[in-house]
Amino acid sequence: MDRTLDEADASEYDALVLSGGVINPDQLRTNEKAISFVRDFFKQHKPVAAICHGPQILISAGAVNGRKMTSVKSVSIDLKNAGAIWEDSEVVTDNGLVTSRKPKDLHAFNAKIVEEIKEGRHEDQYI
Amino acid sequence: MDRTLDEADASEYDALVLSGGVINPDQLRTNEKAISFVRDFFKQHKPVAAICHGPQILISAGAVNGRKMTSVKSVSIDLKNAGAIWEDSEVVTDNGLVTSRKPKDLHAFNAKIVEEIKEGRHEDQYI
């Protein structure tokens, strides 16, 4: 870890990657500073990527309604209930929003993140 | 553990208690046998109780729409998105459905479960 949430500002970064696990996203999704930090990337039209349980944070950030996404299977129903268009693919990209299901998808996930960062500003990345 | 899901049948039990944790409910909610077992308690109008992350299983069982419930805070938005009427109380009872937020609520949770089992069949416990 290089910085705490108090020190970090979305304007200093090109993109955000939310990792998975059953503990980290579960804790971050109720942390107001973390949610605000995540929302800033959408407001600044920057790429946001999430894998495994990471998309739980995006539900709490109010960022998934109408977006094409994937996730670990257990979270799929929560994403659908939040308005996401969920599909079972190794990586799903929707205008700067990149999601994958599990560690096995990392190669495709990373490649898409690089692609989205190279594209730069995503006008359709919104919240 | 006394029995596996293959050996257990809801008709042999008076009630179901789903415990919490970040791993167990996350795994059970994608287990078709577990979901079917949970749904049978609702179909048989028997008390169902869930604490902490346990209500995630009830989302996947399609059992929360229109029901008054509580849970650990991180799951509250997923319950609301699934149609539950979520409140921040130590225990919430809705016609045979008993939910609590965290280990600190266990005394109230257990007391309500006993009460609901003593009441017996709950016609308004449905799925």
Side-chain angles (χ1 to χ4, degrees):
Chain A
M1 194 184 73
D2 300 314
R3 298 190 195 177
T4 65
L5 277 169
D6 282 324
E7 296 161 346
D9 191 299
S11 65
E12 300 171 62
Y13 299 91
D14 292 322
L16 176 68
V17 179
L18 298 165
S19 60
V22 288
I23 295 174
N24 181 47
D26 189 71
Q27 295 191 340
L28 284 181
R29 70 188 305 203
T30 58
N31 181 318
E32 284 178 27
K33 283 178 187 168
I35 293 303
S36 174
F37 182 70
V38 170
R39 288 176 60 87
D40 284 347
F41 283 84
F42 286 90
K43 288 177 187 168
Q44 293 170 24
H45 310 289
K46 289 174 177 173
V48 174
I51 188 165
C52 197
H53 289 75
Q56 287 181 321
I57 301 167
L58 301 178
I59 293 173
S60 297
V64 312
N65 189 30
R67 307 297 299 262
K68 284 183 206 159
M69 298 177 70
T70 193
S71 69
V72 65
K73 189 158 186 286
S74 59
V75 176
S76 62
I77 189 168
D78 299 328
L79 282 168
K80 289 176 196 165
N81 285 339
I85 302 142
W86 192 90
E87 61 174 74
D88 189 13
S89 304
E90 62 175 3
V91 64
V92 176
T93 310
D94 179 346
N95 294 306
L97 179 60
V98 181
T99 47
S100 282
R101 303 165 303 181
K102 49 195 173 187
K104 207 178 141 196
D105 302 332
L106 272 172
H107 182 76
F109 182 61
N110 292 339
K112 269 293 176 196
I113 294 169
V114 170
E115 204 175 288
E116 294 297 288
I117 291 173
K118 282 185 179 165
E119 275 189 30
R121 186 179 169 89
H122 290 261
E123 290 303 334
D124 291 332
Q125 178 71 303
Y126 59 90
I127 205 156
Chain B
M1 194 183 75
D2 300 314
R3 298 192 195 175
T4 65
L5 278 167
D6 282 324
E7 296 160 346
D9 190 301
S11 65
E12 300 171 63
Y13 299 91
D14 293 322
L16 175 68
V17 180
L18 298 166
S19 60
V22 289
I23 295 174
N24 182 46
D26 189 71
Q27 295 190 340
L28 284 182
R29 70 189 306 204
T30 58
N31 180 320
E32 283 178 28
K33 282 179 187 167
I35 293 303
S36 173
F37 183 69
V38 170
R39 288 176 60 88
D40 284 346
F41 283 83
F42 286 90
K43 288 179 187 167
Q44 293 170 24
H45 311 288
K46 289 174 176 173
V48 175
I51 188 165
C52 197
H53 289 74
Q56 287 181 323
I57 300 167
L58 301 179
I59 293 174
S60 297
V64 311
N65 189 31
R67 306 299 296 263
K68 284 183 204 157
M69 299 177 70
T70 192
S71 68
V72 65
K73 189 159 187 287
S74 59
V75 177
S76 63
I77 189 168
D78 299 329
L79 282 168
K80 288 175 197 166
N81 285 339
I85 302 142
W86 192 89
E87 61 175 74
D88 188 13
S89 304
E90 61 175 4
V91 64
V92 176
T93 310
D94 179 346
N95 294 307
L97 179 60
V98 181
T99 47
S100 283
R101 303 164 303 181
K102 49 196 172 187
K104 207 179 141 196
D105 302 332
L106 273 173
H107 183 76
F109 182 61
N110 292 340
K112 269 294 176 195
I113 293 170
V114 171
E115 205 175 288
E116 294 297 287
I117 291 173
K118 281 183 178 165
E119 274 189 30
R121 187 179 169 90
H122 290 260
E123 291 302 335
D124 291 332
Q125 179 71 303
Y126 59 90
I127 204 154

